[in-house]
Amino acid sequence: MRFSVLLPCLCFSCLLCPSAILPAQNAQTGAGTNPKAAAPAQHPRHVRPIDAAAPLPTRYDMLRGAYGPFRANNDLLYYHLDIRVDPDQKTIGGKNTIRFRMLKDGTRIQLDLTDKLNIDKILWHDQPLKYERDTGAVFIDFPRTLKTGEVVTIEFYYSGHPPEVGRFGAFTFKKDAAGHTWINTACEGTGASIWWPDKDQWRDEVESMDISVAVPNGLTDVSNGHFVAKTDLGDGYTRWDWHVSYPINNYDVSLNIGDYVHWGEVHNGLHMDYYVLPEDLEKAKKQFAQAPGMIDAYTHFFGPYPFWRDGYKLIEAPYSGMEHQSAVTYGNLFENGYLGRDWTGVGISPKFDFIIIHESGHEWFGNSITAADPSDMWIHEGWTTYLESLYVEYRWGKADALKYLGGLKPKVINMRPIVAERGVNAETTEDQYFKGALMLNTLRSVVNNDAKWFALIHGLYQHFKYQNIMTGDMVSYFNQHTGMNLTPIFDQYLRHAAIPRLELLFGEAPNMVMYKWDADEDDFAMPVKVGTPGHWQTIHPTTKWQQIQSPLSKDDFQVDTDEYYIDVNKQ
Ligand SMILES: [Zn+2]
């Protein structure tokens, strides 16, 4: 997924926000006060902070983000996006055939298309429908009440020049190094309605989709799903038809138009196809040899590749990469690491191609299991970042995986909660990647039984595959299948800025160590390993002081911060 090297949330204004002040308030326990007085004191009651650093939603965001009555009254069934792309004019045009089932009686539905593109007409049974545009939303009115259960098919015709916006440009008309046309899409965050009309939200997905793209003869379009046919239209254009036979996120729908060469293989029955520019063919064949091993690793942990009928594709693109469903785009220089760098700085990244491993991991978490609102996007990014470490563990062992995860820690900011406000098209912080992965690794340590942990995450994937869910769904599954109450742990890591801090007090009495968690969740409780490496003992701190006997001095007494992502404060 869109993966940014910069950390856009690290702005100076963040330093002024209440959530940034909160950890400092927590930090005062014991410091500069009499520990004896501090020890039995009531833990101050923390209020879950509002994410004050989040930008105020615009009207556009409210209409994009809300699952309002004109979205909730229908259920998407099918799209056929059928367009022509003109590289010379830099225009697109055509129609999306949209089929949905009414869930309630109604006369109006909401679709979305940027106001930078023209609506040519919207037809129902060949009759034009009336509509109103409001920023990116399109409210469509029917001349009679559509009845609950009724299946409705409309044809939404549009045209124009799609604007280039967002980190990857959303829809770009470029030339490759040899001067050939190279047109690509990557619109996550910006939204698919920047280039095609759809119900642009995360909760509802079509069950299947056809994508037809007419391009000048000689060019190839690679889209999602499996290749159906190419047809010479006799007017200098060729139409490429692709069929997606699974539910698909709007932002995953993609075009890749270029002078592509293609090769493929069948790996344990899975069709794997590769599309690159001719000049990159040899290095791509070497680099893309990592793809079958990636499939093996994720299959081992979670089960078969989710979009089996559609096959897996890796397609060269002029940006770093994106998890377009069954059509992952790749622009990582055909080198290991991320854009030529040791991504986590601890010597593990150079062992594999970050984009192949990360973007393809999204096929399981992001594309198959999808968040129902962008507020909970850590379900895509936290999990997929964790999948990177599982890939490392599968290939090179747990020690390397822990080292890799440790390399994520300096990337975490801990300034804002990971889960954002629902229903306002919210953008979440980059902590969703690294802190999300570190939280999942911490949960593995809490479960403290690898066989159980791997059965748990395999079961979780199988339970939620092809569904659109929220954090609460996942937490319920964890609680139910571990028999533990992990809700305060999830809440602390996802819904607060600060991570839990283990407070340790030494010297109250000989060989005695007092301990408790300093956390925003009052009922936060999490076991943790302390002592010395190789001789860890598990303690069960809560937010109330407890004590253990230990012969270790303050300096020798350690906490297993490799397996638990926590702060430690020794006094
Ligand atoms: Zn991603």
Side-chain angles (χ1 to χ4, degrees):
M1 98 108 282
R2 98 205 132 103
F3 202 97
S4 142
V5 181
L6 300 168
L7 295 160
C9 61
L10 186 61
C11 60
F12 287 110
S13 63
C14 291
L15 299 173
L16 304 173
C17 75
S19 55
I21 295 166
L22 199 66
Q25 289 173 334
N26 294 355
Q28 71 187 354
T29 312
T33 61
N34 178 349
K36 278 187 180 170
Q42 278 287 78
H43 190 277
R45 182 160 189 91
H46 294 289
V47 176
R48 187 169 293 166
I50 296 166
D51 183 5
L56 277 178
T58 60
R59 178 168 182 79
Y60 169 80
D61 287 324
M62 295 300 288
L63 288 167
R64 253 293 292 294
Y67 206 72
F70 306 119
R71 282 176 163 171
N73 67 2
N74 68 85
D75 176 33
L76 284 172
L77 299 176
Y78 170 77
Y79 292 138
H80 181 189
L81 181 62
D82 183 1
I83 61 172
R84 177 176 290 233
V85 179
D86 184 334
D88 295 330
Q89 299 298 318
K90 297 188 173 171
T91 56
I92 59 176
K95 66 173 175 177
N96 188 19
T97 302
I98 301 168
R99 187 176 304 144
F100 54 92
R101 179 182 289 112
M102 292 303 287
L103 299 173
K104 270 186 171 178
D105 289 3
T107 59
R108 171 172 266 214
I109 64 163
Q110 178 188 344
L111 296 175
D112 304 271
L113 180 69
T114 174
D115 56 12
K116 306 291 187 297
L117 290 171
N118 309 312
I119 298 177
D120 297 324
K121 58 188 172 184
I122 302 171
L123 299 182
W124 181 43
H125 298 305
D126 297 326
Q127 296 301 310
L129 292 170
K130 290 183 179 159
Y131 57 86
E132 277 175 32
R133 305 186 79 166
D134 186 343
T135 66
V138 183
F139 294 98
I140 300 170
D141 291 309
F142 291 80
R144 69 162 172 81
T145 300
L146 304 174
K147 292 292 184 191
T148 304
E150 185 173 351
V151 173
V152 180
T153 304
I154 62 172
E155 293 173 311
F156 192 132
Y157 288 79
Y158 76 111
S159 59
H161 172 64
E164 271 196 32
V165 289
R167 181 161 179 256
F168 297 143
F171 194 112
T172 57
F173 291 88
K174 292 187 174 172
K175 299 276 186 195
D176 67 19
H180 293 107
T181 291
W182 205 13
I183 299 171
N184 304 80
T185 63
C187 61
E188 191 186 18
T190 305
S193 55
I194 201 71
W195 68 275
W196 60 285
D198 64 294
K199 183 176 175 178
D200 201 0
Q201 43 67 59
W202 285 23
R203 188 192 298 201
D204 192 10
E205 295 179 10
V206 289
E207 293 168 4
S208 65
M209 179 168 185
D210 283 295
I211 304 168
S212 301
V213 183
V215 296
N217 291 343
L219 292 170
T220 297
D221 170 60
V222 191
S223 286
N224 317 79
H226 70 264
F227 174 67
V228 177
K230 65 171 184 170
T231 308
D232 188 334
L233 300 176
D235 60 356
Y237 275 70
T238 297
R239 192 185 68 229
W240 294 75
D241 294 320
W242 298 83
H243 180 68
V244 179
S245 62
Y246 295 87
I248 184 167
N249 311 339
N250 297 319
Y251 69 75
D252 267 332
V253 174
S254 179
L255 308 183
N256 298 279
I257 298 165
D259 182 33
Y260 285 115
V261 290
H262 163 240
W263 81 99
E265 61 185 314
V266 179
H267 177 67
N268 295 333
L270 176 65
H271 287 264
M272 302 183 72
D273 290 277
Y274 309 103
Y275 295 84
V276 297
L277 300 177
E279 61 265 33
D280 295 323
L281 182 59
E282 288 316 309
K283 45 189 179 179
K285 281 191 167 177
K286 267 191 202 159
Q287 194 70 3
F288 288 6
Q290 294 184 32
M294 169 277 298
I295 296 283
D296 292 346
Y298 295 149
T299 300
H300 169 79
F301 291 109
F302 299 106
Y305 175 73
F307 308 106
W308 193 269
R309 295 189 297 276
D310 291 355
Y312 170 85
K313 292 186 290 300
L314 203 48
I315 304 153
E316 185 175 357
Y319 53 85
S320 57
M322 182 65 205
E323 68 262 30
H324 298 126
Q325 182 171 309
S326 74
V328 173
T329 39
Y330 176 92
N332 198 31
L333 313 175
F334 305 99
E335 288 176 12
N336 282 357
Y338 180 37
L339 297 173
R341 293 186 303 123
D342 177 351
W343 168 231
T344 62
V346 291
I348 307 296
S349 287
K351 294 183 176 195
F352 63 92
D353 188 309
F354 173 78
I355 288 295
I356 294 176
I357 302 310
H358 177 89
E359 305 305 340
S360 305
H362 278 305
E363 296 279 44
W364 283 262
F365 286 87
N367 301 348
S368 175
I369 296 179
T370 305
D373 190 288
S375 60
D376 290 42
M377 191 171 155
W378 78 275
I379 293 170
H380 303 193
E381 299 304 346
W383 271 96
T384 300
T385 305
Y386 183 62
L387 261 58
E388 295 163 24
S389 76
L390 290 179
Y391 175 80
V392 171
E393 183 160 345
Y394 183 79
R395 291 288 310 277
W396 299 288
K398 187 174 180 180
D400 274 5
L402 281 178
K403 197 171 166 190
Y404 184 77
L405 286 160
L408 301 177
K409 288 179 189 171
K411 300 179 188 298
V412 182
I413 307 295
N414 285 327
M415 296 285 261
R416 291 172 52 191
I418 287 176
V419 171
E421 190 177 353
R422 185 175 188 170
V424 293
N425 195 35
E427 183 122 334
T428 52
T429 83
E430 295 215 348
D431 279 359
Q432 64 176 318
Y433 291 81
F434 319 116
K435 189 173 173 181
L438 288 161
M439 178 193 73
L440 290 167
N441 187 57
T442 301
L443 286 168
R444 173 179 176 173
S445 310
V446 170
V447 170
N448 197 27
N449 178 322
D450 279 353
K452 272 190 190 163
W453 172 252
F454 289 122
L456 180 68
I457 62 173
H458 183 276
L460 174 129
Y461 171 76
Q462 290 296 326
H463 181 76
F464 289 119
K465 63 185 177 184
Y466 309 122
Q467 293 184 41
N468 301 52
I469 63 169
M470 296 295 279
T471 299
D473 301 310
M474 198 167 266
V475 175
S476 297
Y477 185 93
F478 266 92
N479 287 344
Q480 191 184 338
H481 289 82
T482 58
M484 303 161 92
N485 175 20
L486 301 173
T487 303
I489 299 180
F490 277 102
D491 284 348
Q492 181 63 43
Y493 282 96
L494 298 175
R495 302 184 194 278
H496 295 279
I499 58 173
R501 184 168 61 179
L502 186 64
E503 296 286 348
L504 297 171
L505 280 179
F506 296 83
E508 288 293 296
N511 296 336
M512 192 181 88
V513 183
M514 297 185 69
Y515 60 88
K516 76 173 184 85
W517 287 116
D518 188 1
D520 300 282
E521 290 291 314
D522 285 339
D523 53 352
F524 186 83
M526 184 168 87
V528 65
K529 290 176 188 166
V530 297
T532 51
H535 300 91
W536 295 124
Q537 79 174 101
T538 301
I539 57 172
H540 295 267
T542 65
T543 53
K544 305 281 185 291
W545 288 105
Q546 299 176 67
Q547 61 193 53
I548 47 165
Q549 296 296 313
S550 172
L552 296 170
S553 69
K554 182 177 166 185
D555 286 343
D556 291 336
F557 190 95
Q558 295 181 52
V559 181
D560 185 4
T561 51
D562 288 336
E563 295 191 283
Y564 301 83
Y565 178 54
I566 55 172
D567 280 336
V568 177
N569 184 36
K570 290 184 185 179
Q571 296 179 65

